[in-house]
Amino acid sequence: MAETLAKDDLKQLESHTVTASTPPRKYVYQLVTPGSFEVERHFYPRVLNSQIHPTVRYFLGLSRERIVSRYCHTHPFVDTKTLNEVLSYNPQYLRWAGCDLMHTTNNNNKKSMVIIETNTCPSGNKSTPLYEEMEEEGGYRVLLQRSFLPYLKNRESNIPKGELAVIYDKNPMEASGYASALAGLTGECVHLVPLMENAKEETVKFENGVMFVKIPTGKWVPIRGALRYVTQRPWNRIPVNTKTVIMNPIIACLAGGRNKLVAAKAYDNYNVELMASGLEIRTPLTIRDVEFDQLETWVEKLGGFAAIKIPYSNAGQGVYTITSKAEFCRLREELKSVKYQNFIVQSLISNHEWSSVYEGTRLFHMGTIPDKRGNIHVFDLRMMVSGSEDGFKVVGLYARRAKKPLSKQLEDGMNSWDMLGTNLSIKMDDGTFGSEPERLLLMDRRDFNSLGLGIDDLIDAYVQTVLAVVAIDRMAQFLMPNGVFNKHLLTSVDNDEYLLDEILYDQENH
C-alpha cells in the first residue's frame, strides 16, 4: 500500500473494504484488498457452470503464425507480411478494445464478418467461459498482465506518486473484478470508484493532470494509475491529457472508440493504406456527417431501410433501425431534442426480403440456426482483445441475440429494433445500467452450435477486430502529435461544436 493512506484512514475505511468474505457493493466507493477475487462475484452463474466449446478453445489456442497461414490460404490475395504486421501491432493508446461483428451474406452469397462498431473499455470477461489453462481470474488477469501493468511500468519515470484505482460508470460486476484481480497482481489495495455522469457528489478530480479519488473520510488520494470502465461520454469528466496513467486514455474514445463518426473515417483512412495488401475493414455502407435535415433523403436513397446513429452514444443507446415511414417519423421527433449536429446513416443489415439497397448491393443476416419452431434470430459477436508489445490476444468472447425472431415479412406497426437490436444493456431511470442476460449466448457446448459459426469465421472476426482497433489507434496518434492532444486536428475530422464544448481539456489547452 502506498504511503498516502495512513493507518487511521484504513481503520475508518473498514466498512468500505472488499475482502474475500465481504463482497463489493454497487456504485459506491470501495477499497479492494489483495486476495479478494471470488469467481462467483465476477462471472455470470451460467458461465461458471459452462464448458467452453472445443472449436472456440481450439481457436483461442492458435498461434499468430497459424492464424496468418490459414487466413492467407482462405484469402489468397492477402499479403502475408502485412497481415503479420497488423496482428503484431503494439497499440499506443487503444490497448483494450472490443468489436461487435455480424455474420452476414450478400446477394452474391458471399459470407463475411462485418464490423458494426468498436468500443474502448468493453465488457467481455463475465460472459467468457474459463478453460483449463486459465487462472480463476480468467481474462481479468490476462488483460491486466498483458496491457495495463506494462503500460504503467513503461511510464514509471513520468507518473506521479500515488495509488491504483478502477473507475467506472456501468457494469460493476466486471469493474470490481478488475479491481480485485489488480489488487492480487500488485499486492496493493485498489480504489474502486464510481464516476457517474451528472453525479451529485464529486468522487474524482484532476489537478495539474493528476487524478485524485475521494475516500469516505473526505480525504483526496492521488492516483498514479487507473483502469477506466467509464463509457458514457467520458471526455466530459476525464481530461484528454493526464499525468496519471489511464487505460484506455480518453483520446482512444475521441478517435473512434466512443465516437462512431471518427471511427468511420479511421476505417476509411486505413483501408486506403491497406488497399495493396488485400486487407479491408468491412462495414455496412456508412454515410458520415449527415445533418438532421438530410436524414430522410439518405433513408430514401437506401430504399427506405437504414440504421441511424448518434455518433457519441453507446450501450445500445442512440442507435435506431428504420424500416418504415412511421418509424422514421417517430425517430425524427425524438431526434429534435438531440443537441449534436451530425449523425451517421448506415445501410441496414436485415432479412433478404427487406434490406437496404445501394448500387445493387445488399447485406443480410445469416442469423442463428433455426430453433424447434423454425425461428432464426439476429445475433452479433463481441470479440474483446488485449493489445501489447506482443500484438493482440483475444481475452473475451460472447454473442447476443435479438429479442424477437427475424421475420420474413414486415407488418404494419412492427418494432424493427426488437428483431435487429442485440445489445443487452438497459438504461435505468437513475442513470445506471441493467442487463438482459437471458439473451446472452455463450461460447460453450450448448450455445455456440446455435450460431452456425466455424473456426474460419472466428479467425475472420479476429482479423477484422484487430484491423478496426489498429485503425482507431492510428487515428489517436494523428490527434496526439508529440503526445499532446491537438483540438484543431480533432476539428478537422469532427467539427461538432457541442462535442468540442463537452471535452475536458487540461489547463494548457484551455
Side-chain angles (χ1 to χ4, degrees), residues 438-456:
E438 65 273 12
R439 294 192 287 111
L440 173 68
L441 299 172
L442 303 181
M443 299 294 106
D444 65 359
R445 290 176 178 269
R446 188 190 72 171
D447 289 349
F448 181 75
N449 287 334
S450 71
L451 302 180
L453 296 175
I455 195 160
D456 284 324

Side-chain angles (χ1 to χ4, degrees), residues 360-375:
T361 301
R362 294 184 178 209
L363 283 177
F364 320 123
H365 283 288
M366 293 292 292
T368 59
I369 302 297
D371 61 20
K372 293 179 180 179
R373 299 180 182 88
N375 293 325

